[in-house]
Amino acid sequence: MTVSIVDYGVGNLAGCVAAFTRIGVKSIVTNEKSDILNSRAIILPGVGSFDAAAENLVSFGVRDVLLEFAESGKPVLGICLGMQLMLDRSEEGKLAGLGFVQGETVKLSSAESAKVPHMGLERVTPSEEFEKTLPTISDKFYFMHSYFCKVYDEGVSVAYSNHGENRFVSAFKKNNVVGVQFHPEKSGDVGDRFLKGFVGLV
Amino acid sequence: MSQFRVIPELLFDSSGLVKGRSFGGHEYVGDPLNTIKILCDFGASEIIIANRAVGGSALDFNRIASWVSISNVPVAYSGTVQSMADADELLHSGFEKIVMSRGFFTNPQLLKNISHVYGAQSTGVNFVYRVERDGEVVLIDWETGYPLRQSLLEAVEIAAEIGIGEIYLTNVDREGLMEGLDYSAFEVVKGVTEVPVVIGGGVGDMTDLKAASKTVGLSGVTVGSYFTFIRRDEGVLIRYENI
């Protein structure tokens, strides 16, 4: 079985495909229900604004499929905006997210030593327990975002990073649903190792 | 504090990668695909590919998409983009960001639209400038070499209104000389803009990079010649060094 990279018209798909090719895992770019439901795992990428992406999830017909897939217990990985869409809502827009995890996205605050958008490599520090599950997450990954996830569900925030003085959730895991704020597909060898580790969870 | 960004900048034209001095006298320095692969292998955390074509002539998407597909780090496209369809093509082919220079002044609405659809982090503007004898920073149209009507502060204000995610500042007179960075324009914009600022033009050694990394409020530097040539006036040797 393959890994499906969900195509809902929001950029960054080429980078994800290249990453899975590098680590030797077969992936397809799709928005077909049968492809998605038959996958061993799915990736929800995303670049752009929350509402435009949330709208596309509906117009591309993948919103209900994602909800069904998540129920199956098979792994789902949301990357950057893909992670943010897994929450209930965003301060950035009005439309509903997928609601896999209770929370909302909030804009980062800018300071002299921490500009917004937050761009570049940043340390990801996992909880002890999550590091045992996915050791390859304890490293530096590439971030490019203006909003962060404010998580209300207890016990699902599994890794943190810093933007200047402010600490934010850089990964959450609720059962089979994992979200990461960073871009593993654009984090060099470190990112490839992380994706290998994620696929290994399957 | 976020990690300081040292960003290799590769300039291309129809022949391949080229490098010049003060935006002139360009010579062929190699093949884009190999160079990007080398930079990724050496641990570069992001790359900028800049198009030297004047006037933003039609892009050969297949050609540049093949280069970016080899990269396992973010790649920004720097050059004039004519339409939203071109921007869609670039951002779907693997580029993370579009950085415009001349296009910022001639078609700000396009950058605004890109920022709206793909997010501020997908956009940047490169302000090319010159420092006059009295120390004044003057914006330059790099294609003509003529000074622009707007002041740097006015341009930064427009960038904020449009929703540009990053500001690059390039001193045209330092570019390619490897004689050290100029901070004049950065001094003008620091404290005024909320987005990351990256300066470029003149990095000649590690001392320049270390000094830049200690500059409060500066997010990164772009590096061309120093990562391209063994030394000034010597042969090509692609490499990457971080702080």
Side-chain angles (χ1 to χ4, degrees):
Chain A
M1 280 199 292
T2 55
V3 171
S4 284
I5 297 159
V6 180
D7 178 9
Y8 59 110
V10 177
N12 203 24
L13 304 176
C16 288
V17 173
F20 281 104
T21 304
R22 284 196 300 274
I23 65 170
V25 172
K26 192 181 171 197
S27 69
I28 54 168
V29 171
T30 184
N31 46 35
E32 291 292 326
K33 183 176 180 178
S34 59
D35 287 342
I36 293 173
L37 294 180
N38 285 321
S39 305
R40 62 194 280 202
I42 60 171
I43 308 295
L44 187 64
V47 171
S49 65
F50 190 92
D51 270 5
E55 198 175 315
N56 277 18
L57 285 178
V58 176
S59 63
F60 277 69
V62 295
R63 186 187 160 88
D64 291 341
V65 185
L66 291 174
L67 295 172
E68 191 178 338
F69 185 90
E71 286 292 311
S72 74
K74 290 190 281 187
V76 185
L77 176 64
I79 296 174
C80 196
L81 180 61
M83 174 203 203
Q84 297 178 0
L85 285 167
M86 291 171 156
L87 301 179
D88 299 315
R89 60 188 171 273
S90 170
E91 174 184 276
E92 191 186 2
K94 291 176 182 160
L95 297 180
L98 291 160
F100 292 156
V101 170
Q102 286 175 32
E104 61 183 320
T105 71
V106 177
K107 189 154 192 194
L108 290 163
S109 52
S110 180
E112 192 175 38
S113 61
K115 299 291 187 178
V116 178
H118 177 210
M119 308 283 299
L121 290 175
E122 206 71 63
R123 162 78 48 197
V124 173
T125 308
S127 65
E128 259 181 54
E129 195 185 338
F130 192 59
E131 193 170 11
K132 282 179 200 152
T133 311
L134 196 50
T136 52
I137 196 171
S138 184
D139 218 313
K140 281 184 175 176
F141 292 86
Y142 201 95
F143 287 81
M144 36 188 153
H145 61 122
S146 302
Y147 290 79
F148 69 98
C149 293
K150 202 169 180 181
V151 177
Y152 301 136
D153 255 341
E154 280 189 27
V156 303
S157 301
V158 293
Y160 291 88
S161 296
N162 272 62
H163 174 248
E165 302 293 313
N166 299 320
R167 199 172 77 131
F168 64 91
V169 176
S170 48
F172 57 59
K173 181 180 185 301
K174 187 174 178 182
N175 304 319
N176 55 320
V177 171
V178 177
V180 292
Q181 186 58 67
F182 52 84
H183 286 266
E185 79 284 10
K186 292 288 175 181
S187 297
D189 295 342
V190 168
D192 290 351
R193 281 197 292 274
F194 170 83
L195 287 174
K196 250 185 199 168
F198 174 77
V199 173
L201 292 179
V202 180
Chain B
M1 190 162 162
S2 296
Q3 182 164 326
F4 189 74
R5 295 154 62 199
V6 177
I7 312 169
E9 182 169 35
L10 307 174
L11 188 64
F12 75 94
D13 65 14
S14 56
S15 68
L17 293 184
V18 293
K19 199 73 197 78
R21 285 181 188 169
S22 303
F23 286 47
H26 292 90
E27 59 177 307
Y28 177 81
V29 294
D31 166 63
L33 197 67
N34 282 332
T35 305
I36 291 168
K37 176 85 172 63
I38 290 167
L39 290 170
C40 289
D41 288 348
F42 283 179
S45 54
E46 59 188 295
I47 297 166
I48 296 176
I49 302 179
N51 189 352
R52 202 171 81 79
V54 173
S57 48
L59 288 167
D60 183 347
F61 289 112
N62 288 336
R63 180 171 174 244
I64 57 177
S66 71
W67 304 340
V68 78
S69 67
I70 197 86
S71 175
N72 59 8
V73 299
V75 183
Y77 174 85
S78 177
T80 299
V81 173
Q82 301 287 17
S83 65
M84 197 62 194
D86 283 0
D88 289 337
E89 189 89 32
L90 284 168
L91 294 169
H92 284 268
S93 67
F95 284 96
E96 256 68 37
K97 190 187 305 182
I98 292 173
V99 180
M100 286 211 234
S101 186
R102 196 170 207 244
F104 170 83
F105 295 100
T106 57
N107 191 0
Q109 186 61 40
L110 177 58
L111 268 172
K112 190 176 183 176
N113 293 345
I114 297 169
S115 177
H116 178 70
V117 175
Y118 291 98
Q121 83 293 335
S122 298
T123 59
V125 59
N126 181 19
F127 292 129
V128 179
Y129 70 95
R130 174 166 284 150
V131 183
E132 299 294 341
R133 283 188 183 172
D134 62 1
E136 190 192 352
V137 172
V138 176
L139 293 181
I140 299 288
D141 178 339
W142 72 267
E143 291 191 11
T144 62
Y146 295 148
L148 292 167
R149 190 165 40 83
Q150 294 88 344
S151 72
L152 178 56
L153 280 178
E154 285 167 347
V156 166
E157 204 173 302
I158 296 167
E161 284 167 20
I162 292 174
I164 302 283
E166 189 148 62
I167 293 173
Y168 295 81
L169 300 168
T170 307
N171 183 322
V172 64
D173 293 325
R174 299 277 180 123
E175 200 268 334
L177 296 186
M178 299 170 70
E179 290 176 347
L181 287 158
D182 169 59
Y183 292 81
S184 316
F186 173 69
E187 290 297 326
V188 173
V189 306
K190 76 168 188 188
V192 176
T193 178
E194 295 199 338
V195 302
V197 178
V198 175
I199 63 171
V203 170
D205 55 28
M206 277 304 279
T207 311
D208 292 338
L209 292 179
K210 282 180 184 159
S213 73
K214 290 182 180 133
T215 305
V216 176
L218 183 64
S219 295
V221 288
T222 57
V223 184
S225 297
Y226 179 54
F227 288 160
T228 307
F229 301 110
I230 299 168
R231 286 183 201 84
R232 192 177 158 179
D233 298 324
E234 289 194 20
V236 172
L237 178 70
I238 302 297
R239 66 183 186 285
Y240 178 80
E241 292 170 46
N242 210 333
I243 306 292

